[in-house]
Amino acid sequence: MTSQDIRKQFIEFFEERGHKFVRSAGVVPFDDPTLLFTNAGMNQFKGIFLETETAGHPRAVNSQKCIRVSGKHNDLEEVGRDLYHHTFFEMLGNWSFGDYYKQDAIKWAWELFTEVWKIPKDKLYATVYHADDEAFKLWSELTDIPKDHILKFGEKDNFWEMGETGPCGPCSELHIDLGGDPGIDGSHPELGVNTDNPRFIELWNLVFIQYFRGSDGELKELPNKHVDTGAGLERVVAFLQGKVSNYDTDLFTPILDEIVRLTEIPYDSGDAGMAHRVIADHVRMLSFAISDGALPSNDGRGYVLRRILRRAARFGRNLGMNEAFIYKLVPVVVDVMGEAFPELHDRVAYIQKVIKSEEDSFSQTLDRGLQIYAGLVKETKNAGASEISGENVFKLYDTFGFPIDLTSLMAEEDGLGVDLNGFETLMAAQREKARGATQFKQNKDHNAEWKILQAGDHSQFLGYTHQQLDTVLVQYLEVEAKYLVILKQTPFYAESGGQVGDTGRIYNAEMELKVLNTQKDGDSIVHETQLVSGELNEEPVIAEIDTARRAAIIRNHSATHLLNAALREVLGDHVKQAGSLVNEHHLRFDFNHFEKMTPIELTTVEKLVNAEIRENTSVSIQISSFNAAKAAGALAFFGEKYGDEVRTVRFAEFSHELCGGVHVSASGDIGFFRIESESAIAAGVRRIEAVSGWVAEDHARRDRTALDHLRHILTSDVKDLGTKVQSLLDEKKLLEKQVQNLFFDQAASAFENIIEKAQTIGGVRVVSELVNLPDTESLKDLGSDLIKQMGSGVGVLGTIIDEVPYVVCVVSDDVIAQHKLKAGNVVRDLGKQLGGGGGGKPQMATAGGKDAGALKDVLAGVYDMIGALIA
C-alpha cells in the first residue's frame, strides 16, 4: 500500500463508523498564543475539551499536520540520527466528544490494525495506566491480544494532561515489536516497551479524557468523557510497507532521490546518510510551515524556521552543496503531499522564494563564520579546554547567524562540547530566545461564578441583518465594576478575522449598559459592559450597536478585500494575507512580498481600489461548502478556521474571499480609499496602512491645507514644491558645512594652545579643555583630530549644545595597552558627574548630562581622575 492508501483507509474506516472528516488545521496556530506550532491532532479541538466550544459533530477523524521542534515535544536532535523521529509529521486521529468511550476506541483500534492492516497480533503490545483497570479489562475481553502483551505503566508514560490544570485522563498505547533477540519481550524493564530501544515503537495512543484537574491538583470526573487518539502516519507506513526506516517509505524516497540527483552523492541508510535524512525531513517542515504563514525571522516561531533552514543548509555543505539548493526540493514535497494537502499546490513558488532568499542570506555569512569557527576550535583545543565558551558560541550566533544547535552539532563532530549556560546568559541579555511550546492555559476563568438567568441556546448572531433587536440576558458575570453579559440573540459582532468588536448599548426601562467591547469565548459572544444607570435586571432588553462606528468599520473591512485583490493584480498571485486589523479609524493589511513597493505600484493599487469603489459593485454574500467555495475561486487566509459550511463575500469579478465579517452593501459605500504608508514588518512581510470614507477625506483636506501653506511661504506652484524644497535643503547643507569648517579652522588654530596646556601625569600627556562647537558630531571629529595631533596621550573635550553638556574622551592605543586606560571608563565617570551617562570604545567615547553649570569643574578634575586611573 502507498502512504496515500494508508491515510485514506484510516479516514474511511472511521467515516464508516459515523465519524465526520475534519480538515487538518494549519501548523501555525495563529489563534492560540500558547503554541508555537500545532503539535498534536487535538489542538484544534481544544475548545471542545475545555467546554468553551460545542462540537459540531460527536465523532471526528482527520490527518493533522504537526511540527515538534521545541519545548516538551522536541525531536530535533534525533532527526536524521535515528530512522523514525521527525520535525514534521502527520498524526492520524479519531475523536469522540462525549459520545463513545474506551470500549469502542479499543475495539476499533484493534480491528483496524489486525483485520484491515493485518498487523501480526503477536507483534503488538498494549500499554495502560496502572490504575485504569477498566482499560486493562477491555483489552483482555474485546481483543485477542496475548494477555502478557498488556502492560501497565505509571503516570509518566500513560497519563495525559493538557496542562497544569484542565482536562486529563489515562491513555493506552499500541506498540509494535520490530523484531530482534527472541529472549527479550516488550515487558523487559530496560529493553522493552517505553524504553529507548528502537525495536519497540509506539504506533498509536488512545487518550481517555475523563477527569478535570483543578488548581488544587485534585481530579474530578468530567460529566462528558472524550476520546482523543493519535497515530504517527510515518511510523505506520514504514511498518505496513515493510521498511525498517521511515525514510525508506514513499513519503521520503522521492525527496531523497532528488537530493541524490542534485548532490550526486548516493544515499546510505546508515550513519553516512544522516545529511540526506536531515535535509529531507527539514524541507518538509519548512514547506508546510511557510505554506501556512510562518516566515524565518529572529523571534518566536520565525527563529525556529531560521534554525531549521540553516541546519539543513549546513548539512548541504557536507554534501558539497555550497549554493542554494533546498528550495529546489519543494516541488517534490508538493508532489508527495499535495493530494492530501492541496494548499501546497497554491504556494509552491512562494515557498521556494522564501527558502531561496533565506539560503542566499545565510550563504553570505556562512563561509566567513566557518573560518571563525575553525579558529575557535583550534583556540579551544590549544587551551586544553573541552568546550567552546558561551561567549564564542554567542559570537557565532550574533555575528554569523549560527543557531546554537548548529554550533553544537559541529562541535560534537570536532570532539568538543559547548558552554550552553554561558550562551543562554548572553542570549537572555539580548532578547528572548525562541520560546518552547508552552502547555495550554485556560482563557476562561472556570472558577468564576457566572449568574445563569436562562438555560439553553444563546449567542445567536443576527448582526448581518440587524443593528438593533429585542433580546434577553442569559448569563452575566461582574468583574471589577464591569459586567460581562451574554445575550440570547445579539446584533453585536465579536472581534474576529481582524475586525474589531462592536460597541453600543443594552437597555430597558430600568437600566442601561454601555457596551465597551465584544469578544468571543468559545461559542459564547461576550459583551463587556459598564452600568450607566439603574440596576442590572432580568427583564427583556434592547441591544443596539453604535451604527456610525459599525459603518466606519465595515467600510474599512470591505476596503481590505479590494486592497488584497488589487495587490494580487499589481504584484502577483504570490501575495497572501498575513494579518489584518480593521477598526473605525483605519485599516492595516499585512501581506507576503519580498520587496518595498515602488511609488508607481502603490499608486496603481490605490487607483484600482478607487476604480472599483466608483463602479459601486453590489456585494454578493453566499453560504456554501468549503470545497465548493474554493472551487469557485474564493481565497482563504492564514490563521483562519473554516468549517464545512463557509460564507463568501464577492465584489463581482474583482474580489472573492471567504469571510465571516460584516461588509458594505455595495463598493460605492466605501466612498474613497487612500494608502497612508507601506513598510516592512518582518522578513518577506509588508504592511499597508490605509483609510477610507470620511477619514480619507479628512486626511486629504489636511494634506491640501499643508500644501497650500507651503505654496504660500515658498511662493511656488504645487508641481515645483519638490524642486524648491530640495534647493533649500541643499543650500542649508552647504551653509552647515561652511559653519562646520569655520569652527574647525578656529579649533585647529587653537590646537597648538590646547596641546601646549597638556599636563604630563605618570608619563602620559593629558589635555582637558572646554570648546565651542555646534553639534556632537563636530565634537567627536575634533576629538579624533586632537589625538592625531597629540600622537600619544589622553584628550577630553567638553562643549555645551542647547544648554546640554557633552564630553568626548580620546585615548591613544599605546596608553590603552600600557595603562589599561579606556575612554569608555573615563566618560562613564564624567557623565555621572554631569547628571547623565555615557560610553563607547576604548579609543573614543562620549557622554552627556543635565548639569551644564558643572562642566567647567568636571573638566578641571580630569587630571586628577586620570592620575588615579593610571597610578
Side-chain angles (χ1 to χ4, degrees), residues 12-143:
E12 290 179 346
F13 178 87
F14 284 100
E15 284 182 324
E16 290 167 1
R17 287 153 182 80
H19 291 64
K20 175 73 175 178
F21 173 70
V22 178
R23 291 185 310 279
S24 170
V27 295
V28 181
F30 289 104
D31 59 343
D32 189 344
T34 68
L35 286 174
L36 280 180
F37 296 100
T38 299
N39 59 19
M42 59 73 58
N43 290 168
Q44 68 170 307
F45 304 119
K46 168 185 169 184
I48 298 173
F49 296 136
L50 291 174
E51 298 184 350
T52 61
E53 297 178 18
T54 303
H57 17 263
R59 302 178 180 185
V61 61
N62 88 342
S63 183
Q64 173 63 48
K65 304 176 288 187
C66 296
I67 289 176
R68 290 185 178 177
V69 285
S70 57
K72 173 184 173 183
H73 301 295
N74 185 359
D75 298 330
L76 181 59
E77 292 306 316
E78 302 304 320
V79 172
R81 294 181 189 276
D82 65 24
L83 305 177
Y84 54 88
H85 277 105
H86 304 289
T87 56
F88 170 88
F89 65 97
E90 282 183 68
M91 186 174 284
L92 303 170
N94 59 287
W95 289 268
S96 165
F97 307 119
D99 187 35
Y100 65 84
Y101 199 44
K102 294 178 185 179
Q103 179 173 331
D104 286 335
I106 290 172
K107 179 180 66 177
W108 289 334
W110 188 252
E111 182 182 347
L112 177 61
F113 263 25
T114 61
E115 295 182 23
V116 177
W117 286 342
K118 308 296 183 185
I119 297 178
K121 299 172 184 178
D122 62 343
K123 298 292 185 184
L124 291 169
Y125 286 83
T127 66
V128 298
Y129 181 51
H130 67 85
D132 190 359
D133 295 332
E134 180 186 6
F136 189 91
K137 183 179 180 182
L138 288 170
W139 279 110
S140 301
E141 295 179 350
L142 295 178
T143 76

Side-chain angles (χ1 to χ4, degrees), residues 371-393 395-396 414 416:
Q371 292 176 8
I372 298 296
Y373 168 78
L376 293 176
V377 170
K378 185 177 180 181
E379 175 186 313
T380 303
K381 290 185 175 179
N382 287 342
S386 61
E387 63 180 22
I388 301 173
S389 70
E391 185 177 357
N392 284 329
V393 174
K395 178 182 177 182
L396 285 169
D414 289 316
L416 293 171

Side-chain angles (χ1 to χ4, degrees), residues 570-571 593 595-605 678 686:
V570 173
L571 302 178
H593 188 57
E595 300 170 320
K596 178 179 175 62
M597 290 182 67
T598 66
I600 292 176
E601 287 171 337
L602 286 169
T603 299
T604 304
V605 166
E678 189 268 353
R686 310 294 300 181

Side-chain angles (χ1 to χ4, degrees), residues 310 368-374 376 388 390-403 407 410 423:
R310 292 184 172 188
R368 176 60 180 152
L370 289 172
Q371 292 176 8
I372 298 296
Y373 168 78
L376 293 176
I388 301 173
E391 185 177 357
N392 284 329
V393 174
F394 181 76
K395 178 182 177 182
L396 285 169
Y397 160 76
D398 196 42
T399 306
F400 300 102
F402 278 38
T407 303
M410 294 191 300
F423 172 77

Side-chain angles (χ1 to χ4, degrees), residues 590-643:
D590 301 338
F591 59 99
N592 300 119
H593 188 57
F594 285 86
E595 300 170 320
K596 178 179 175 62
M597 290 182 67
T598 66
I600 292 176
E601 287 171 337
L602 286 169
T603 299
T604 304
V605 166
E606 198 174 70
K607 283 183 175 179
L608 282 171
V609 173
N610 281 308
E612 186 63 22
I613 290 172
R614 288 192 296 273
E615 287 290 326
N616 198 26
T617 307
S618 295
V619 177
S620 171
I621 295 176
Q622 293 184 334
I623 305 297
S624 68
S625 71
F626 177 84
N627 291 334
K630 287 286 289 177
L635 297 177
F637 301 114
F638 297 144
E640 291 297 312
K641 284 185 181 177
Y642 299 107

Side-chain angles (χ1 to χ4, degrees), residues 796-854:
V796 176
L797 300 175
T799 192
I800 297 174
I801 302 168
D802 296 330
E803 301 181 359
V804 178
Y806 296 94
V807 293
V808 64
C809 176
V810 287
V811 184
S812 60
D813 289 337
D814 62 312
V815 174
I816 295 172
Q818 185 176 352
H819 298 282
K820 308 299 182 186
L821 182 65
K822 298 180 180 180
N825 295 336
V826 174
V827 299
R828 268 190 288 273
D829 194 356
L830 297 177
K832 287 180 181 178
Q833 295 180 54
L834 293 169
K841 296 182 178 179
Q843 293 83 2
M844 176 185 286
T846 58
K850 301 174 183 177
D851 189 357

Side-chain angles (χ1 to χ4, degrees), residues 661-676:
V662 189
H663 286 273
V664 297
S665 299
S667 61
D669 295 343
I670 298 170
F672 176 44
F673 173 81
R674 176 183 160 117
I675 294 175
E676 296 286 287

Side-chain angles (χ1 to χ4, degrees), residues 9 20 90 201 211 220 277 374 402 416 468 488 506 531 536 580 589 616 618 621 669 681 869:
Q9 277 190 352
K20 175 73 175 178
E90 282 183 68
I201 300 292
Y211 301 113
K220 295 181 180 178
R277 291 192 291 273
F402 278 38
L416 293 171
Q468 180 191 80
K488 190 172 184 63
I506 300 169
L531 189 63
L536 200 69
S580 68
F589 188 81
N616 198 26
S618 295
I621 295 176
D669 295 343
I681 62 167
L869 289 173

